[in-house]
């Protein structure tokens, strides 16, 4: 008796506190009274009861065949025509079939139907081809950022309303503090009642402000149970004090914030109602006394599905529906037998257990909700552009941002993450639970060289042994654990075989482990805390995989915290924050305030024009702003007549872009080390030039193409006799000790040390008579010599050791056939005058070919992404991947106009916009921008003022260099101008 009195006092206290707070009434109440009165007046007593019933439907034909009694459209149609039910709850299906069914159902209904769905994490929870947002557990890991959760709710409201729906049975406000909870778990925001409340309120407000009715669940709290109410009646054994202080807290917060609806759970809670085996759904002390009277909730009260065993186990055949209304509920969801339910409810009225006035009051309230949702001016769902409207890019951005902020690092030995010093790492990725290369692995490969392996959920011993052998040579393993289930009933998708392989990988002390699944799965992985680093990614989605890879390399920071306690090693709020370290991030235009549709359409149009007009067989475009790659796309084919499509990973001949991605980079590095002085002269670093006409030419003038150097020398012509044969000691058709180096394939070899002949030809060449700007290749041919002289390292080694490998730009190389298959290299010209063959994998430039494919003016190959890494380092004033690889001063000095007073547009090595637009740069490029074009059809351009980074690849010289349409059509600059134009709109 004392315990009962104490519980009563507690509840009374709760009532007083609740009423002391300002409670915002649901905004649908007392709306459109005239319409409500007019509709109500047309309803019979039976039809008023039917307005309180919502029946289940699916738009999936196969599912309808499985459950024809309830879900078959014909059965639902009959319930609408004959029983005049008030609403429909949709389950499995597709958007267009559901819209068609909705229109049909509404057309035959006397009163417009209230259309509802369980869409806790988006429409994709029930129907295909729609948006899936993060689970609430994932959102629980997000620190702050409730505005993003609000935005998610608002977007979901727009999507549901677009599909003709009015109610979302969300948010879940249960505090999940039971790791073995089989039904809530990932559906909860976590175990902290304050954060659950804050996030639930943000989500609810977003939906309701978007015109959607909500239904928080599962009152009074389903978070601490080991029983699934779909299959049995769970028992909540906590006392009233605990329930009031913990489980009820988020629901109170939602009520105070103006919640429009509440769903009652099927729970047995002796502390609140001692009636044996009575679900809370049917309990007047819980529904009416506690929720309605003590907590002051004025909104709609929904039952949980009335076909669940938690209620039908003890109260079958429609009796539960009548008892639910007697308890105080307004709407019955998923009534199994509508006719029986109405009969039982009428019986309750006749027996005085509920009055007709109470039924009428609730009917009016339902009509008010319908009016607020716009059903007083009902319009059918427009089927035009339905798929596009339900999948807006804004939703993808919200998904990306929420996922990014949720990712949680739980272990990070010696600050391993984010990964630095890429040149010291030999990396393999292993995806467990995968049958092919995963999204996670594909994104990892954007950052550096990573060899990929995968293991299925039930690997054989042979597969495991093969993997073991292959991984022995790596010093870092990036392991993705891809869990195909989120339920504890299925061990979260973790098989014994996967676990065994994972244990072995962890034991190597090389493993960085990312868990794509329910955080409670951590408790099923022995020794997971022994990983070198551990990332909780919460879900298995394209977003979690992509962004977890980006987090590993420091493109994004780690900010998430564990929203639940897993075990002693991983308690609530665990999470190690790490910074972003300046590597490229991969995202969508919307993150930068641009529209994907517009950007894609305009760039596609220009790129496809280039291909249609045969300016180039194909091309690759990559664009970044603020260090965020927002556009990456390949177009066309390698050749006009071939079938090989251009790939983002294809290697292109960079031609003159070599000058600023290789030579100028090396010179900036040596300038930083005070080994190279721009104001020194040619003789200072090339003693052989001391007695030449170039001895006193200043390097600053040389590098700005204003030192009177000739534009070029046709070196291969110098080696040719008048009759077309080769002079002695120039070329041979056969390789030998005297002719060791291939100029092209196996058909032409150059005399040993012929490079000295080339250097002497440059040394002895005449100067232009007049001062002024003349673009010249000659000095750039000499820079590999200078770099070796000043650094002691070969040119290519210097670039790779100090820059390319550190940047993870490992495709940047000379003579790419040493490392890559021909199908991964785009061909260039059919040489009909010198090498007499199709050039493929060998440098296009003749002088570079004569230097063995390695020169400072041409010869560098690479893929678009790796070139962009170099240029992003430039934009970030020498910083990339956590390292200051060049000084800020170097970038400032080399990229500024050097002689503007002379009308010269050049920086040191870099091209810059002309002072009056001439087409060499994008029309809207700022004066601080810099870049270069390549003869083969390449362009790179960086704009610090806009923080834009642009790389364009094409092989416009295929099959002949005579094709100049890429320039006459302004293809390269026009693409970057698309971005400027979009940014100028803002």
């Amino acid at each position: 008796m004392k315990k009962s009195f104490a519980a009563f006092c507690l509840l009374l206290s709760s009532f007083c506190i609740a009423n002391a707070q300002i409670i915002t009434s649901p905004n649908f109440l007392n709306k459109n009274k005239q319409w409500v009165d007019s509709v109500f007046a047309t309803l019979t007593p039976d039809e008023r009861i039917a307005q309180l019933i919502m029946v289940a439907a699916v738009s999936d034909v196969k599912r309808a065949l499985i459950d024809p009694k309830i879900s078959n459209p014909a059965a639902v149609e009959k319930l609408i025509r004959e029983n005049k039910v008030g609403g429909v709850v949709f389950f499995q299906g597709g958007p267009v079939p559901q819209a068609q069914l909705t229109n049909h159902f509404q057309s035959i209904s006397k009163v417009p139907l209230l259309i509802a769905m369980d869409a806790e994490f988006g429409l994709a929870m029930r129907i295909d081809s729609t948006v899936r947002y993060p689970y609430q557990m994932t959102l629980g890991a997000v620190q702050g950022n409730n505005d993003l959760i609000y935005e998610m709710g608002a977007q979901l409201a727009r999507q549901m309303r677009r599909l003709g729906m009015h109610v979302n049975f969300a948010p879940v406000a249960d505090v999940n503090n039971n790791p073995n909870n089989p039904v809530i778990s990932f559906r909860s925001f976590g175990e902290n009642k304050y954060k659950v409340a804050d996030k639930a309120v943000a989500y609810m407000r977003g939906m309701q402000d978007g015109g959607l009715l909500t239904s928080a669940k599962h009152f009074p709290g389903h978070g601490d149970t080991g029983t699934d109410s779909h299959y049995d009646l769970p028992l909540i054994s906590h006392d009233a004090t605990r329930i009031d202080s913990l489980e009820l807290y988020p629901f109170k917060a939602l009520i105070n914030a103006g919640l429009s609806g509440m769903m009652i759970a099927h729970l047995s809670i002796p502390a609140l109602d001692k009636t044996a085996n009575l679900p809370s759904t049917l309990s007047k002390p819980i529904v009416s006394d506690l929720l309605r009277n003590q907590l002051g909730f004025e909104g709609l009260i929904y039952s949980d599905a009335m076909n669940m065993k938690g209620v039908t186990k003890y109260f079958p055949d429609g009796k539960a529906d009548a008892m639910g209304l007697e308890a105080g509920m307004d709407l019955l969801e998923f009534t199994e037998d509508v006719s029986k339910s109405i009969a039982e409810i009428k019986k309750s009225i006749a027996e005085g257990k509920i009055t007709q006035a109470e039924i009428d009051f609730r009917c009016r309230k339902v009509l008010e909700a319908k009016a607020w949702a716009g059903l007083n001016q009902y319009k059918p769902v427009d089927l035009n552009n339905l798929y596009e409207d339900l999948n807006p890019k804004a939703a993808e951005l919200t998904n990306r941002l929420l996922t990014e902020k949720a990712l949680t690092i739980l272990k990070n030995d010696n600050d391993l993450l984010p990964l630095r010093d890429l040149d010291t790492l030999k990396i393999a990725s292993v995806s467990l639970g995968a049958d092919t290369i995963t999204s996670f692995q594909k994104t990892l490969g954007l950052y550096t060289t990573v060899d990929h392996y995968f293991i299925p959920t039930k690997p054989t011993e042979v597969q495991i042994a093969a993997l073991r052998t292959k991984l022995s040579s790596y010093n870092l393993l990036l392991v993705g654990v891809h869990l195909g289930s989120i339920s504890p009933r299925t061990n979260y998708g973790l098989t014994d075989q996967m676990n065994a392989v994972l244990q072995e990988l962890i034991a190597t002390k090389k493993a960085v482990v990312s868990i794509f699944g329910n955080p409670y799965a951590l408790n099923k992985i022995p020794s997971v805390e022994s990983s070198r680093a551990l990332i909780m990614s919460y879900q298995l989605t394209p977003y979690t995989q992509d962004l977890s890879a980006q987090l590993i390399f420091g493109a994004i920071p780690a900010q998430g915290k564990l929203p639940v306690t897993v075990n002693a090693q991983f308690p609530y709020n665990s999470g190690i924050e790490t910074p972003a370290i300046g590597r490229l991030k991969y995202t969508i235009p919307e993150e930068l305030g641009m529209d994907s549709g517009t950007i894609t359409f305009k760039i596609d149009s220009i790129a496809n024009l280039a291909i249609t007009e045969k300016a180039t067989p194909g091309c690759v475009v990559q664009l970044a702003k603020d260090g965020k790659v927002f556009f990456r796309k390949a177009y066309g084919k390698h050749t006009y007549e071939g079938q090989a499509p251009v790939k983002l990973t294809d290697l292109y001949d960079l031609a003159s872009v070599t000058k600023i991605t290789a030579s100028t980079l090396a010179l900036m590095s040596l300038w930083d080390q005070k080994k190279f002085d721009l104001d020194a002269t040619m003789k200072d670093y090339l003693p052989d030039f001391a007695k030449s006409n170039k001895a006193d030419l200043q390097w600053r003038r040389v590098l700005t193409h204003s030192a009177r150097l000739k534009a070029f020398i046709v070196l291969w012509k110098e080696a040719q006799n008048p009759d077309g044969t080769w002079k002695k000691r120039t070329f041979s058709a056969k390789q030998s000790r005297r002719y060791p180096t291939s100029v092209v394939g196996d058909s032409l070899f150059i005399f040993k040390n012929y490079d000295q002949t080339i250097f002497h030809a440059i040394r002895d060449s005449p100067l232009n008579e007049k001062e002024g700007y003349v673009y010249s290749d000659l000095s750039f041919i000499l820079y590999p010599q200078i770099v070796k002289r000043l650094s002691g390292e070969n040119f290519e080694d210097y670039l790779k050791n100090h820059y390319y490998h550190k940047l993870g730009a490992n495709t940047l190389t000379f003579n790419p056939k040493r490392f890559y298959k021909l199908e991964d290299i785009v061909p260039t010209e059919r040489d009909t005058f010198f090498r007499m063959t199709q050039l493929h994998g060998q440098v296009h430039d003749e002088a570079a070919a004569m230097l063995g494919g390695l020169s400072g003016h041409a010869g560098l190959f690479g893929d678009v992404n790796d070139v962009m890494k170099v240029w992003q380092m430039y934009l970030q004033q020498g910083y990339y991947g956590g390292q200051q690889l060049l000084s800020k001063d170097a970038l400032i000095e080399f990229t500024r106009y050097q002689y503007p007073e002379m009308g010269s547009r050049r920086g040191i090595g870099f091209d810059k916009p002309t002072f009056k637009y001439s087409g060499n740069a994008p029309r809207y490029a700022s004066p601080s921008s810099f870049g270069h074009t390549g003869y083969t059809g390449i362009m790179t351009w960086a704009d610090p003022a806009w923080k834009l980074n642009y790389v364009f690849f094409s092989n416009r010289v295929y099959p002949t260099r005579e094709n100049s349409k890429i320039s006459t059509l302004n293809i390269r600059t026009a693409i970057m101008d698309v971005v400027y134009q979009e940014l100028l709109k803002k």
Side-chain angles (χ1 to χ4, degrees):
M1 187 67 183
K2 288 183 179 179
K3 287 185 179 180
S4 297
F5 180 76
F8 172 79
C9 290
L10 176 66
L11 291 176
L12 182 61
S13 172
S14 173
F15 167 71
C16 294
I17 292 171
N19 281 275
Q21 296 172 332
I22 298 175
I23 297 176
T24 303
S25 295
N27 53 9
F28 73 85
L29 292 175
N30 301 311
K31 301 293 183 183
N32 298 289
K33 296 285 288 182
Q34 185 176 354
W35 181 83
V36 170
D37 290 343
S38 66
V39 172
F40 181 80
T42 69
L43 300 177
T44 67
D46 282 12
E47 290 171 350
R48 295 171 198 171
I49 294 172
Q51 283 296 303
L52 311 183
I53 294 174
M54 303 184 78
V55 295
V58 296
S59 56
D60 182 332
V61 176
K62 292 180 180 178
R63 175 64 187 268
L65 293 173
I66 294 170
D67 191 3
K69 180 181 177 183
I70 300 298
S71 301
N72 187 287
V76 176
E77 178 175 340
K78 184 176 181 181
L79 293 171
I80 295 169
R81 288 186 186 276
E82 295 182 4
N83 296 106
K84 308 294 192 296
V85 295
V88 174
V89 182
F90 273 104
F91 289 83
Q92 286 80 5
V96 173
Q98 180 172 316
Q100 291 170 330
L101 270 181
T102 297
N103 287 345
H104 175 62
F105 290 158
Q106 293 285 23
S107 72
I108 62 173
S109 182
K110 177 177 179 179
V111 179
L113 296 161
L114 204 58
I115 308 296
M117 181 178 281
D118 266 316
E120 295 164 15
F121 51 85
L123 291 174
M125 182 171 172
R126 296 298 181 190
I127 55 178
D128 61 43
S129 308
T130 52
V131 174
R132 173 185 293 270
Y133 289 104
Y135 295 144
Q136 289 189 194
M137 182 71 78
T138 307
L139 301 178
V142 175
Q143 302 304 294
N145 292 286
N146 286 342
D147 54 334
L148 270 177
I149 296 175
Y150 174 94
E151 175 61 20
M152 182 187 83
Q155 290 176 3
L156 179 53
R158 288 192 288 273
Q159 293 157 30
M160 293 188 74
R161 293 308 307 268
R162 178 66 180 86
L163 196 52
M165 288 188 283
H166 317 102
V167 186
N168 187 8
F169 295 136
V172 174
D174 301 310
V175 179
N176 198 86
N177 42 28
N178 187 334
N180 298 314
N181 194 317
V183 64
I184 302 302
S185 188
F186 66 92
R187 298 165 67 192
S188 166
F189 287 112
E191 69 179 47
N192 182 297
K193 65 180 182 181
Y194 302 107
K195 290 190 176 181
V196 169
D198 288 347
K199 293 176 188 296
V201 167
Y203 188 15
M204 175 270 289
R205 281 181 169 153
M207 288 188 283
Q208 291 186 180
D209 287 353
L212 193 67
L213 295 163
T214 61
S215 176
K217 57 191 185 186
H218 304 81
F219 186 88
H222 207 319
D224 192 2
T225 175
T227 302
D228 187 343
S229 53
H230 290 85
Y231 306 104
D232 205 343
L233 179 62
L235 173 67
I236 304 295
S237 58
H238 299 301
D239 62 29
T241 303
R242 151 66 189 263
I243 292 169
D244 178 69
S245 64
L246 181 59
E247 274 78 10
L248 289 181
Y249 184 87
F251 296 108
K252 294 176 185 177
L254 286 159
I255 292 168
N256 293 338
L259 178 70
S260 67
M262 188 79 79
M263 179 179 286
I264 310 298
H266 304 311
L267 303 169
S268 175
I269 313 174
L272 302 181
D273 189 330
K274 295 189 178 300
T275 309
N277 300 320
L278 184 71
S280 45
T281 334
L282 313 183
S283 168
K284 188 170 184 178
I286 293 174
V287 179
S288 292
D289 296 344
L290 176 57
L291 176 58
R292 184 72 75 199
N293 299 328
Q294 295 175 22
L295 299 184
F297 180 62
E298 299 177 80
L300 291 170
I301 300 178
Y302 301 82
S303 72
D304 206 341
M306 296 301 287
N307 68 332
M308 292 166 59
K309 289 297 182 183
V311 67
T312 62
K313 181 176 180 179
Y314 298 104
F315 302 94
D317 299 326
K319 185 170 180 58
D321 297 281
M323 293 178 66
L325 292 186
E326 292 169 17
M329 285 191 299
D330 297 310
L331 281 158
L332 303 168
E333 180 207 352
F334 211 149
T335 293
E336 285 193 292
D337 190 320
V338 174
S339 295
K340 281 186 178 180
S341 295
I342 292 176
E344 288 290 339
I345 294 165
K346 290 171 69 176
K347 183 179 176 182
S348 291
I349 295 171
E351 294 175 353
K353 295 177 181 177
I354 186 170
T355 67
Q356 184 64 47
E358 289 176 291
I359 296 293
D360 293 351
F361 176 80
R362 293 175 200 180
C363 178
R364 284 180 175 277
K365 189 158 62 169
V366 170
L367 292 174
E368 287 174 1
K370 289 184 175 185
W372 180 85
L375 286 171
N376 59 325
Q377 297 177 325
Y378 165 74
K379 293 180 182 179
V381 179
D382 183 357
L383 300 181
N384 292 320
N385 299 313
L386 183 60
Y387 173 82
E388 292 78 7
D389 292 345
L390 294 178
N391 291 275
K393 273 291 182 178
E396 181 179 345
L397 176 60
T398 299
N399 253 311
R400 297 187 71 88
L401 293 176
L402 286 168
T403 300
E404 176 182 332
K405 295 177 187 307
L407 298 176
T408 305
I409 294 179
L410 296 173
K411 178 80 180 296
N412 195 18
D413 280 353
N414 300 315
D415 294 325
L416 176 65
L417 300 180
L419 295 178
R420 296 174 171 85
D421 302 320
L422 299 184
D423 53 324
T424 68
L425 301 175
K426 185 177 182 183
I427 305 173
S429 72
V430 184
S431 284
L432 300 180
D435 296 316
T436 187
I437 300 299
T438 62
S439 300
F440 175 58
Q441 293 174 302
K442 289 175 182 177
T443 302
L444 291 173
L446 294 174
Y447 289 98
T448 190
T449 302
V450 181
D451 296 326
H452 304 305
Y453 305 93
F454 53 88
I455 286 288
T457 54
K458 295 183 178 180
T460 65
E461 286 299 326
V462 172
Q463 288 174 311
I464 295 172
L467 178 67
R468 186 183 298 122
T469 300
K470 291 174 181 176
L471 295 183
S472 61
S473 63
Y474 298 92
N475 63 5
L476 186 66
L477 307 178
L478 303 179
V479 182
V481 183
H482 299 257
L483 299 180
S485 174
I486 50 177
S487 171
R489 288 193 298 270
T490 56
N491 206 40
Y492 306 106
L494 187 68
T495 65
D496 292 341
Q497 296 94 324
M498 288 171 64
N499 219 336
V501 174
L502 181 55
Q503 295 308 304
E504 189 169 334
L505 296 175
I506 291 171
T508 66
K509 303 298 182 183
K510 303 176 185 178
V512 173
V513 177
S514 298
I515 306 292
F516 298 105
N518 194 314
Y520 289 122
L522 290 169
N523 215 20
K524 304 293 184 179
I525 306 173
S527 305
V528 69
E529 68 276 4
S530 298
S531 308
R532 286 193 67 188
L534 178 63
I535 301 167
M536 173 43 61
S537 303
Y538 297 100
Q539 295 180 234
L540 180 58
T541 72
Y543 302 120
T544 57
Q545 293 185 69
D546 176 24
L547 290 160
S548 293
Q550 298 199 44
L551 180 147
I552 286 170
F553 283 97
I556 60 174
Q559 304 170 75
K561 303 287 185 182
L562 204 59
V564 291
T565 295
V566 174
N567 53 33
Q569 286 81 22
F570 303 115
Y572 166 77
N573 213 37
S574 297
I576 301 166
E577 295 184 15
T578 59
I581 56 172
R583 289 202 178 99
L584 288 170
K585 178 182 180 181
Y586 299 85
T587 185
I588 58 176
E590 279 70 14
E591 185 167 346
L592 295 154
M594 293 180 281
D595 178 71
S596 290
T598 303
I599 291 283
T600 301
F601 174 78
K602 290 183 177 180
I603 294 177
D604 283 358
S605 298
I606 297 168
N608 290 327
L609 173 67
I611 294 167
T612 301
E613 294 294 319
K614 293 194 172 181
T616 178
C619 60
V620 183
V621 178
Q622 184 157 318
L623 284 150
K625 175 172 166 51
D626 301 337
K628 299 170 183 177
V629 178
F630 64 88
F631 192 91
R632 274 168 51 82
K633 195 167 182 179
Y635 301 85
K637 296 183 289 188
H638 283 197
T639 63
Y640 292 111
E641 66 279 3
Q643 297 302 313
V646 176
K647 307 183 298 296
L648 287 168
T649 53
D650 283 335
L651 275 68
Y652 278 75
D653 181 337
L654 302 186
S656 285
V657 171
T658 301
K659 293 181 174 73
I660 35 77
T661 309
S663 294
T664 304
L665 170 57
L667 294 178
M668 281 192 284
S669 178
L670 293 169
W671 185 85
D672 268 343
Q673 300 170 53
K674 302 190 183 307
K675 292 180 179 180
F676 181 77
D677 184 351
L678 287 168
D679 297 316
T681 60
M682 292 189 80
K683 67 176 181 294
D684 294 324
Y685 303 128
L686 295 169
D688 193 35
F689 278 50
K691 296 182 179 180
S692 78
N693 58 359
K694 302 172 184 65
D696 296 322
L697 295 183
Q698 188 186 54
W699 285 112
R700 189 181 297 273
R701 296 296 294 271
V702 170
L703 282 159
T704 53
H705 303 278
S706 58
R708 297 172 55 209
L709 292 180
K710 290 289 183 182
F712 59 90
I713 302 171
V714 186
L715 294 165
W716 67 273
K717 272 287 188 183
E718 299 290 320
Q720 201 172 50
N721 293 311
D723 64 357
T725 59
W726 298 117
K727 295 177 181 178
K728 291 183 178 180
R729 297 184 178 182
T730 57
F731 297 106
S732 170
K734 294 183 180 180
Q735 189 175 29
S736 65
R737 182 178 59 82
R738 300 184 74 199
Y739 294 87
T741 304
S742 169
V743 175
V744 59
D746 296 324
S747 60
L748 194 63
F749 300 86
I750 197 164
F751 187 73
K752 64 178 182 178
N753 300 325
Y754 195 80
D755 58 341
Q756 296 303 310
T757 302
I758 293 172
F759 300 147
H760 292 161
I762 295 171
R763 180 195 64 190
D764 299 336
S765 64
L767 297 174
N768 294 320
E769 292 183 8
K770 294 182 179 180
E771 297 270 350
Y773 170 72
V774 175
Y775 180 80
S776 174
D777 280 350
L778 298 187
S779 76
F780 282 90
I781 294 173
L782 304 172
Y783 294 130
Q785 285 186 73
I786 294 172
V787 171
K788 184 173 183 180
R789 180 185 297 273
L790 298 180
S791 71
E793 295 180 68
N794 289 328
F795 185 58
E796 184 173 19
D797 292 340
Y798 186 85
L799 290 165
K800 288 184 175 180
N801 293 338
H802 296 281
Y803 294 96
Y804 299 161
H805 291 336
K806 290 179 183 293
L807 293 168
N810 297 322
T811 64
L812 296 182
T813 191
F814 296 86
N815 295 310
K817 288 200 297 183
R818 294 175 294 167
F819 311 111
Y820 295 93
K821 298 176 183 177
L822 277 180
E823 55 261 37
D824 296 323
I825 307 171
V826 178
T828 53
E829 188 172 19
R830 293 174 185 164
D831 188 341
T832 58
F833 50 86
F834 170 31
R835 287 158 286 183
M836 312 305 290
T837 189
Q838 170 66 59
L839 300 177
H840 192 180
Q842 293 155 313
V843 63
H844 176 265
D845 183 271
E846 297 87 1
M850 294 172 69
L851 290 164
L854 192 155
S855 178
H857 77 295
L860 190 64
F861 285 70
D863 72 24
V864 66
N865 193 50
D866 283 351
V867 170
M868 180 165 276
K869 291 172 188 175
V870 176
W871 282 74
Q872 192 61 36
M873 176 185 66
Y874 291 165
L875 266 180
Q876 293 171 179
Q877 296 190 313
Y879 178 81
Y880 195 85
Q883 293 179 285
Q884 193 70 41
L885 297 170
L886 289 170
S887 72
K888 294 180 181 180
D889 290 342
L891 268 302
I892 292 170
E893 180 62 23
F894 277 67
T895 62
R896 70 177 178 88
Y897 289 110
Q898 292 292 313
Y899 298 108
E901 70 281 0
M902 298 171 56
S904 171
R905 72 174 192 252
R906 304 296 301 207
I908 302 295
F910 294 98
D911 198 4
K912 290 179 67 64
T914 50
F915 301 107
K916 183 178 180 180
Y917 177 70
S918 67
N920 80 302
R923 181 178 296 274
Y924 301 102
S926 76
S928 64
S929 69
F930 53 91
H932 217 283
T933 54
Y935 191 76
T936 52
I938 310 297
M939 183 175 189
T940 55
W941 205 265
D943 194 333
W946 292 92
K947 297 183 180 178
L948 280 175
N949 188 347
Y950 171 49
V951 182
F952 176 91
F953 281 2
S954 76
N955 56 332
R956 68 97 191 167
V957 294
Y958 182 89
T960 173
R961 67 183 64 191
E962 300 304 318
N963 181 5
S964 61
K965 289 183 178 179
I966 201 85
S967 295
T968 56
L969 293 171
N970 293 320
I971 298 298
R972 291 175 285 190
T973 55
I975 287 176
M976 193 173 185
D977 275 329
V978 166
V979 180
Y980 282 114
Q981 289 164 354
E982 288 305 301
L983 294 173
L984 287 166
K985 290 178 182 177
K986 295 164 61 177

